Amino acid sequence: MNATSATISFEDFQDAHPADIAAALAELSPQAALTLLSGFPVNDQAEVFGYVEEERQAELLGLMTRTQISKLVSAMNADERADLYNHLPEEMQEIILPGLAHVEREDMRALAAHEEGTAGAIMTSDYAVLAPDLTAREAIDKLRREAPEKETIYRTYVVDGERRLIGSVRLQELILADPRKKVANLMEEDPLFARVDEDQEEVARKIARYDVIAIPVVDSEHRLVGIVTHDDAIDALEEEATEDFHKLGGAVSLDESVRTAGLVTLYRARIVWLVVLVFGNLLSGLGIAYYEDTIAAHLALVFFLPLLIASGGNAGAQAATLMVRALATGDVRPKDWGLMLGREFLVAAALGLTMAAAVSGIGFFRGGPDIAGVVAASMIIIVIIGSIIGMSLPFILSRLRLDPATASAPLVTSIADATGVVIYFAIATFWFMRNGAAAGLG
Amino acid sequence: MNATSATISFEDFQDAHPADIAAALAELSPQAALTLLSGFPVNDQAEVFGYVEEERQAELLGLMTRTQISKLVSAMNADERADLYNHLPEEMQEIILPGLAHVEREDMRALAAHEEGTAGAIMTSDYAVLAPDLTAREAIDKLRREAPEKETIYRTYVVDGERRLIGSVRLQELILADPRKKVANLMEEDPLFARVDEDQEEVARKIARYDVIAIPVVDSEHRLVGIVTHDDAIDALEEEATEDFHKLGGAVSLDESVRTAGLVTLYRARIVWLVVLVFGNLLSGLGIAYYEDTIAAHLALVFFLPLLIASGGNAGAQAATLMVRALATGDVRPKDWGLMLGREFLVAAALGLTMAAAVSGIGFFRGGPDIAGVVAASMIIIVIIGSIIGMSLPFILSRLRLDPATASAPLVTSIADATGVVIYFAIATFWFMRNGAAAGLG
């Protein structure tokens, strides 16, 4: 390590926020990033390192000596350390473990053991607790001693002898109170909490809904095992929103940066659905093959094919997107299906009528009154059915305990396409059979 | 108002969180909700009312007397009051204003004057400030007096004689410090801040990025004019994510609940894009009309039409979704277009090759070697072009200072569809002209 060059480049960053330094590290080569990072005292290094992206963290550790690694990792926050540990390849995990003190090691193993996506996985063990029989003065003294290491002391949790969560008290209240008053008399009972296996998105929404800075996490015996802070909650919500976005676009969720992810990773995230949809779209082809006589007799029908099937797909994609988001934010619950179905039917009928009006003129102009009638009737039915498919799919997926966001725009579009082909040509075949009319492209 | 029945139903809610009471109000009829709400002391009413949805707020106010309204509104938080005011119809705004004290009225007008979507619109004026020449003891006394009314006192902002933001100090530090030490010597200088006209999403991301509970907001003279708290930041991020979701699904952004929004509102949010896309999809029809001779001669081509155009649309929708989200979270910046274009080309080429391999067998089986060749070549080119359109559109929109999320899946699909039709039939025409081969559906 060249200490001189590190000191020089690092002076520009002395007043910078750790998050900004981490962002700067991302722009440098791994070796240059390590040199810059090493210029800081180890506690600052650890804080900066907590803001560094996962892939970059692994790269940097790969360049460090074992001593450097264990110093850095020991200085990190408990939850960030557990996060880091979770994302490292196994051989690196084995390098980290021996360098930690026994308590830290156990703590990290406990935090790392929770399933991804649960409260347990995003909680931290850096928090202070109080006993109910402390006085306000004793409580403040305890917080003074422990506070600098704890993530938040603005609200402290009160636990009984078995570490069961029995209340919470605000720092403000401890300060304002008579110093001899007991914590038991100052605390709010039955505080808000999250279960350790609760979905991280639900926990984050609790924090947002109840406007709190942190939420205590308890195990099945109601023992306090950690806290989730508001910043980790924002991260969790952002992560889940990104995941839903990617799914909705028909990609497997990507937990890396789109800018830096490997091309093979991007390929893999996208190919699965694309190939599945190829076979889905072949159904549309089968529909066409089935009605080939109608098509051969009335070639003008082909002119409207892309428009009609796309309209059903578009209306369906809209309906699916609105429902996926509404289910994700809790605006709509799975039991609301019946209500939403009725509403969707009415809205879709109005949409279909408007769109039929918009195209029937063109249908008349290009193919005469028969084509105009077939196109208008098909448009109304295709838009209604496409919308109902799009709106229902997220509910069905949610009942099957799958993620509603799997009802991606491409998936809904493909299903609506195949349905649209059949509806369109079935109506046309029926219409022309009944009327014995003839219409051709020429 | 029937006080007895109100007291009865309200007892179940005495220990409930205001957010839960607000949720319960949403399930009741407006009149029953008002009866329940009126059972609480006015300060609790105001707190609950802040959690009630906008439409419901207006309904409830419509049922109250002027005296009830002014009592309730006076007791609300400054930012929630300004929010409420902003969303009310004009005649209700005029009912509210006279009931407020002069200071509150000016304060609300100032807060309400900021443009929707900016820091100014989501900030609150409920915060404490300190002068730099106070001692730690004096500062704590001031906070003790003012704190109960303020949204957050964990970090207090320090302003000079002209109210310019010069620093910030944590409550923790004031408590731990020598009581005679000056705030000027305890504060951190140059604190993080947001400008009053800054985009709310950017402000929320600053709060998330720097893991702070609140961020001070300054005007063009660097005077402190408000603070944005973490809970309002989460709400802002959620709101923007929902907006992006709706846009991506091809709906005009809906700022109401999908469950309770009027059917006309839902219709309006969806019809605009659907009709625009109808005319977009007619372009596909024109492409088909242009190549009608090729189609008439080789009807087997129609079998693959939905598949090929859908594949281009699906790949494009994926690429657009990934980019819209990456641009929204700041993962990718507008200047990264060149880099992303190169990466997209490589990924799309690999996707196209895989999909061509998947369908060429079916092409051979249904239409012979010529159809197989045309379908495979078309698939590769359509997927590459669809992906590049999908990936570029968000960048183009962002350069035109439009929202990248306008590059919705339906829009990208429609553009890719029309492009796909032309590519497919152009390749087919060229192929059959060159080879003089003949293939038909029968």
Side-chain angles (χ1 to χ4, degrees):
Chain A
M1 198 65 32
N2 183 337
T4 323
S5 82
T7 316
I8 292 169
S9 52
F10 136 86
E11 272 175 358
D12 309 331
F13 289 100
Q14 268 182 319
D15 292 328
H17 189 281
D20 293 327
I21 301 169
L25 292 182
E27 305 288 329
L28 299 174
S29 72
Q31 189 55 61
L34 182 59
T35 310
L36 175 60
L37 187 65
S38 311
F40 291 90
V42 71
N43 281 331
D44 292 357
Q45 280 183 36
E47 209 183 332
V48 169
F49 203 71
Y51 285 99
V52 170
E53 274 184 34
E54 284 159 16
E55 302 128 79
R56 183 37 76 100
Q57 283 182 331
E59 271 176 16
L60 290 175
L61 290 180
L63 294 173
M64 294 183 193
T65 64
R66 275 170 189 252
T67 325
Q68 283 178 310
I69 292 177
S70 64
K71 269 192 200 157
L72 177 72
V73 173
S74 299
M76 287 176 77
N77 270 348
D79 59 336
E80 284 167 358
R81 184 163 55 212
D83 241 25
L84 170 67
Y85 182 82
N86 261 337
H87 286 101
L88 286 180
E90 218 170 300
E91 66 276 16
M92 278 216 171
Q93 291 183 336
E94 277 160 27
I95 295 177
I96 287 184
L97 279 182
L100 295 173
H102 178 72
V103 188
E104 287 169 347
R105 203 153 62 213
E106 285 315 299
D107 185 41
M108 188 173 71
R109 275 207 181 118
L111 283 176
H114 296 288
E115 213 180 314
E116 281 256 358
T118 63
I122 58 168
M123 72 188 184
T124 177
S125 51
D126 286 333
Y127 58 93
V129 291
L130 296 173
D133 55 352
L134 292 178
T135 64
R137 189 199 308 273
E138 289 165 340
I140 292 175
D141 280 346
K142 181 167 191 284
L143 294 180
R144 246 181 218 166
R145 283 193 313 272
E146 299 182 0
E149 292 175 30
K150 303 306 174 193
E151 282 226 343
T152 167
I153 55 152
Y154 305 126
R155 185 179 285 275
T156 315
Y157 304 103
V158 185
V159 295
D160 67 12
E162 263 108 60
R163 221 185 154 77
R164 276 192 298 260
L165 178 67
I166 54 172
S168 77
V169 63
R170 291 166 69 194
L171 179 58
Q172 217 168 321
E173 265 147 317
L174 291 174
I175 296 170
L176 295 173
D178 175 343
R180 289 157 306 177
K181 208 161 176 184
K182 294 276 189 201
V183 166
N185 299 320
L186 288 167
M187 73 184 189
E188 288 170 39
E189 288 176 35
D190 301 321
L192 189 70
F193 64 89
R195 294 181 321 280
V196 70
D197 57 354
E198 205 167 318
D199 188 82
Q200 63 174 6
E201 201 171 353
E202 268 169 54
V203 178
R205 278 187 210 289
K206 269 190 192 167
I207 291 181
R209 177 181 164 114
Y210 296 106
D211 293 354
V212 291
I213 292 169
I215 197 168
V217 180
V218 298
D219 65 11
S220 55
E221 322 275 282
H222 210 70
R223 282 186 305 243
L224 185 64
V225 291
I227 64 170
V228 173
T229 53
H230 74 99
D231 48 308
D232 293 325
I234 292 185
D235 292 347
L237 282 178
E238 287 273 286
E239 203 182 280
E240 300 266 359
T242 300
E243 215 176 88
D244 279 359
F245 257 89
H246 291 175
K247 282 192 184 158
L248 212 59
V252 173
S253 178
L254 197 69
D255 59 1
E256 291 177 48
S257 154
V258 172
R259 200 162 63 91
T260 56
L263 296 181
V264 176
T265 309
L266 286 173
Y267 170 84
R268 283 210 194 118
R270 293 172 61 180
I271 193 64
V272 185
W273 270 112
L274 286 179
V275 168
V276 169
L277 294 174
V278 161
F279 292 99
N281 283 306
L282 279 173
L283 288 180
S284 302
L286 286 178
I288 290 175
Y290 184 80
Y291 289 104
E292 62 174 282
D293 295 338
T294 306
I295 298 170
H298 310 282
L299 213 53
L301 290 172
V302 180
F303 178 86
F304 293 96
L305 181 63
L307 167 63
L308 286 172
I309 63 182
S311 295
N314 290 342
Q318 278 185 339
T321 310
L322 292 175
M323 280 313 130
V324 166
R325 183 64 184 165
L327 284 167
T329 59
D331 177 23
V332 165
R333 281 154 298 184
K335 70 176 172 64
D336 293 330
W337 189 359
L339 171 70
M340 300 315 288
L341 187 69
R343 289 166 58 86
E344 183 65 33
F345 180 81
L346 294 175
V347 172
L351 294 172
L353 279 169
T354 313
M355 292 162 77
V359 296
S360 56
I362 302 160
F364 188 85
F365 172 75
R366 274 213 68 88
D370 284 310
I371 296 284
V374 170
V375 167
S378 303
M379 181 65 99
I380 297 170
I381 297 174
I382 286 174
V383 167
I384 292 176
I385 301 215
S387 296
I388 286 176
I389 292 173
M391 171 262 151
S392 300
L393 207 53
F395 283 99
I396 296 171
L397 289 165
S398 137
R399 293 230 173 156
L400 297 174
R401 302 194 172 275
L402 295 170
D403 186 340
T406 313
S408 65
L411 178 63
V412 170
T413 304
S414 295
I415 297 176
D417 277 7
T419 319
V421 166
V422 174
I423 293 173
Y424 180 34
F425 291 126
I427 289 178
T429 307
F430 177 75
W431 186 288
F432 289 121
M433 253 172 38
R434 204 165 147 250
N435 294 280
L441 194 70
Chain B
M1 196 66 30
N2 183 338
T4 323
S5 82
T7 317
I8 292 167
S9 53
F10 134 86
E11 270 174 359
D12 309 330
F13 289 100
Q14 269 183 320
D15 291 329
H17 190 280
D20 293 327
I21 301 170
L25 292 182
E27 306 289 328
L28 298 174
S29 73
Q31 188 56 59
L34 183 58
T35 311
L36 174 60
L37 186 65
S38 311
F40 291 91
V42 70
N43 283 330
D44 292 357
Q45 281 183 36
E47 210 183 333
V48 170
F49 203 70
Y51 285 99
V52 171
E53 275 184 34
E54 284 159 18
E55 302 128 80
R56 186 33 78 102
Q57 284 183 331
E59 273 176 15
L60 291 175
L61 289 181
L63 295 172
M64 294 183 192
T65 65
R66 276 172 188 250
T67 324
Q68 283 178 311
I69 293 177
S70 64
K71 267 192 201 155
L72 177 72
V73 173
S74 299
M76 287 177 76
N77 269 348
D79 58 334
E80 285 168 357
R81 184 162 58 212
D83 241 24
L84 169 67
Y85 182 81
N86 261 336
H87 287 100
L88 286 180
E90 219 170 297
E91 66 276 16
M92 279 218 169
Q93 291 183 337
E94 278 159 26
I95 296 175
I96 288 184
L97 278 183
L100 294 173
H102 178 72
V103 188
E104 286 169 349
R105 203 152 64 212
E106 286 313 300
D107 187 39
M108 187 174 71
R109 274 205 179 120
L111 283 176
H114 295 288
E115 214 181 314
E116 280 257 356
T118 63
I122 58 169
M123 72 187 184
T124 177
S125 51
D126 286 332
Y127 59 92
V129 291
L130 295 173
D133 55 352
L134 293 177
T135 63
R137 189 197 310 270
E138 289 166 339
I140 293 174
D141 281 344
K142 182 168 192 281
L143 294 180
R144 247 181 216 168
R145 283 194 312 272
E146 299 184 358
E149 295 176 26
K150 303 305 174 190
E151 281 228 340
T152 166
I153 56 152
Y154 305 127
R155 185 179 285 275
T156 316
Y157 303 102
V158 184
V159 295
D160 66 11
E162 263 107 59
R163 222 186 153 77
R164 276 191 299 258
L165 178 67
I166 55 171
S168 77
V169 63
R170 293 166 69 193
L171 180 58
Q172 216 168 323
E173 264 147 318
L174 290 175
I175 297 170
L176 295 172
D178 174 344
R180 289 158 307 176
K181 210 163 174 184
K182 296 275 189 199
V183 166
N185 300 320
L186 290 167
M187 72 184 191
E188 288 170 39
E189 289 177 33
D190 301 322
L192 190 68
F193 64 90
R195 292 181 323 279
V196 71
D197 56 354
E198 206 165 318
D199 188 82
Q200 63 175 7
E201 201 171 353
E202 268 169 54
V203 178
R205 279 188 208 290
K206 269 190 192 168
I207 291 181
R209 177 183 165 114
Y210 297 107
D211 293 353
V212 290
I213 292 168
I215 197 169
V217 181
V218 298
D219 65 10
S220 55
E221 321 275 284
H222 211 70
R223 283 185 304 242
L224 185 63
V225 291
I227 65 170
V228 172
T229 54
H230 73 101
D231 48 309
D232 294 324
I234 293 185
D235 292 345
L237 282 178
E238 288 274 285
E239 202 182 281
E240 299 266 359
T242 301
E243 215 176 89
D244 279 0
F245 257 91
H246 291 175
K247 283 192 184 160
L248 212 60
V252 172
S253 177
L254 197 71
D255 57 3
E256 290 176 48
S257 153
V258 172
R259 199 162 64 91
T260 57
L263 295 182
V264 175
T265 309
L266 286 173
Y267 170 83
R268 283 211 193 118
R270 292 171 63 179
I271 193 64
V272 185
W273 270 112
L274 286 179
V275 169
V276 169
L277 294 173
V278 160
F279 292 97
N281 283 308
L282 280 172
L283 289 180
S284 303
L286 286 178
I288 290 174
Y290 184 82
Y291 289 105
E292 61 174 283
D293 294 339
T294 306
I295 299 170
H298 310 283
L299 214 53
L301 289 172
V302 180
F303 179 86
F304 292 97
L305 181 64
L307 167 65
L308 285 172
I309 63 181
S311 295
N314 290 342
Q318 279 186 338
T321 311
L322 292 174
M323 279 311 129
V324 166
R325 184 63 184 167
L327 283 167
T329 59
D331 177 23
V332 165
R333 283 154 297 183
K335 70 177 173 65
D336 292 331
W337 189 359
L339 171 70
M340 300 315 288
L341 187 68
R343 289 165 58 88
E344 184 65 33
F345 180 81
L346 295 174
V347 173
L351 295 171
L353 280 168
T354 312
M355 293 162 77
V359 295
S360 56
I362 301 160
F364 187 86
F365 172 75
R366 274 213 68 87
D370 284 310
I371 295 284
V374 169
V375 167
S378 302
M379 181 65 99
I380 297 170
I381 296 175
I382 286 174
V383 168
I384 292 176
I385 301 216
S387 297
I388 286 177
I389 291 172
M391 170 263 151
S392 300
L393 208 52
F395 282 99
I396 296 171
L397 289 165
S398 134
R399 292 227 176 160
L400 296 175
R401 303 192 170 278
L402 296 169
D403 187 341
T406 313
S408 64
L411 178 63
V412 170
T413 305
S414 296
I415 297 176
D417 276 6
T419 319
V421 166
V422 174
I423 294 172
Y424 180 34
F425 291 126
I427 290 178
T429 308
F430 177 75
W431 186 288
F432 290 120
M433 255 175 35
R434 206 166 143 248
N435 295 280
L441 193 70

